[in-house]
Amino acid sequence: CVLPLHHVSGLMQAVRSLVTGGTLAIASFKRLETGELPSINPADYFLSLVPTQLQRLLHQAETVDWLTRFRAVLLGGAPTWASLLQAAYAARIPVALTYGMPETASQIATLRPEEFLRGNWSCGRVLPHAKLTICNEAGRSLGANQVGHLVIEADSLALGYLPGEPFAGRFCPDDLGYFDPAGYLHLVGRRSDADEPHGDPLGRDSEYRARWFHPRCKGHRQNACRTGEHRGFAGGIRRPSCSHQPG
């Protein structure tokens, strides 16, 4: 575990290890960055990272080789940009893309690492303890490849916010997404610009639908997503895109 134990991302690793009788290894991420690797056999462990951490660990060949030997490198906590996914794919790192949040006690959808290495860059399928529905603004459930907002029901769902109304068993995050015909979850953006202090002109679902249904995007394996020119660890210029995936 290289994530903070006072946050759900690190706390859930400790809880899962305790409940399942597993082994928890705690390491300093700053030491990992310098190439000081813990004395463990990665094949016996799962590693959880956020995208910027993975990017920082790709700068040393020894660390990259270490990452390829894990059972899975769970990646989540923030949108992952295309160039980072391409770098991980090229290095054959067993990435398991995830979707979750503190309100759901971490991930509720996970992609198997072998699927990532076959060129599937979705968020994977919904885990057994959760139910996720894609709905339109009227609350009607949508079918495959139809973009809508997410409605989450899960055994791990929080009771609600304080102060505020309880979730009452259902939680609607700000995210937009869709399920493909095989049941894999794809995220395409957010319903509002709440994550941008001055507003995000790309945060309108009509923009994403325009990209998703653009004729040049049809008939291909694609991701319609908010991405951009990545600028180090500080962010980038955001724009919607439709990009082909390997395979």
Side-chain angles (χ1 to χ4, degrees):
C1 178
V2 296
L3 295 169
L5 292 175
H6 61 267
H7 187 269
V8 67
S9 57
L11 177 62
M12 288 307 298
Q13 295 182 54
V15 170
R16 290 188 183 108
S17 296
L18 178 64
V19 171
T20 63
T23 301
L24 178 67
I26 299 176
S28 164
F29 182 75
K30 289 185 177 180
R31 291 183 178 179
L32 290 185
E33 281 190 278
T34 64
E36 186 178 337
L37 305 178
S39 55
I40 63 171
N41 179 9
D44 295 332
Y45 288 85
F46 295 81
L47 177 66
S48 291
L49 299 173
V50 297
T52 51
Q53 288 180 316
L54 177 59
Q55 185 188 44
R56 292 174 181 176
L57 295 179
L58 293 179
H59 296 306
Q60 296 190 50
E62 182 182 2
T63 307
V64 172
D65 177 69
W66 184 70
L67 290 173
T68 64
R69 291 185 278 125
F70 276 91
R71 292 183 63 181
V73 177
L74 296 146
L75 191 63
T80 306
W81 50 98
S83 61
L84 179 59
L85 292 174
Q86 290 164 356
Y89 176 83
R92 309 305 290 169
I93 296 171
V95 168
L97 294 169
T98 68
Y99 176 69
M101 60 205 73
E103 290 87 345
T104 60
S106 194
Q107 66 207 50
I108 57 170
T110 305
L111 180 71
R112 293 178 180 272
E114 59 269 23
E115 293 174 321
F116 173 81
L117 294 176
R118 289 199 295 265
N120 182 337
W121 293 357
S122 71
C123 294
R125 291 188 169 109
V126 178
L127 298 176
H129 73 284
K131 177 184 177 182
L132 200 159
T133 309
I134 307 296
C135 296
N136 62 13
E137 293 301 323
R140 182 175 62 85
S141 178
L142 299 175
N145 291 338
Q146 291 184 290
V147 176
H149 63 85
L150 279 58
V151 177
I152 298 170
E153 301 172 70
D155 294 340
S156 61
L157 188 63
L159 297 179
Y161 298 126
L162 288 177
E165 294 294 325
F167 290 162
R170 289 165 60 91
F171 177 62
C172 299
D174 210 31
D175 301 309
L176 289 168
Y178 68 93
F179 285 113
D180 65 24
Y184 290 90
L185 174 66
H186 300 256
L187 298 181
V188 301
R190 288 177 176 267
R191 287 187 290 171
S192 74
D193 50 347
D195 62 332
E196 292 291 309
H198 302 295
D200 182 356
L202 301 183
R204 301 178 177 89
D205 57 9
S206 60
E207 186 88 34
Y208 295 103
R209 289 192 178 98
R211 287 282 177 170
W212 173 247
F213 292 110
H214 191 281
R216 294 188 63 181
C217 289
K218 290 183 179 180
H220 300 281
R221 300 184 64 207
Q222 71 276 348
N223 259 346
C225 61
R226 178 170 54 183
T227 181
E229 176 189 343
H230 187 65
R231 293 184 172 179
F233 307 121
I237 302 172
R238 294 187 174 188
R239 62 177 69 91
S241 72
C242 176
S243 59
H244 298 283
Q245 298 178 0

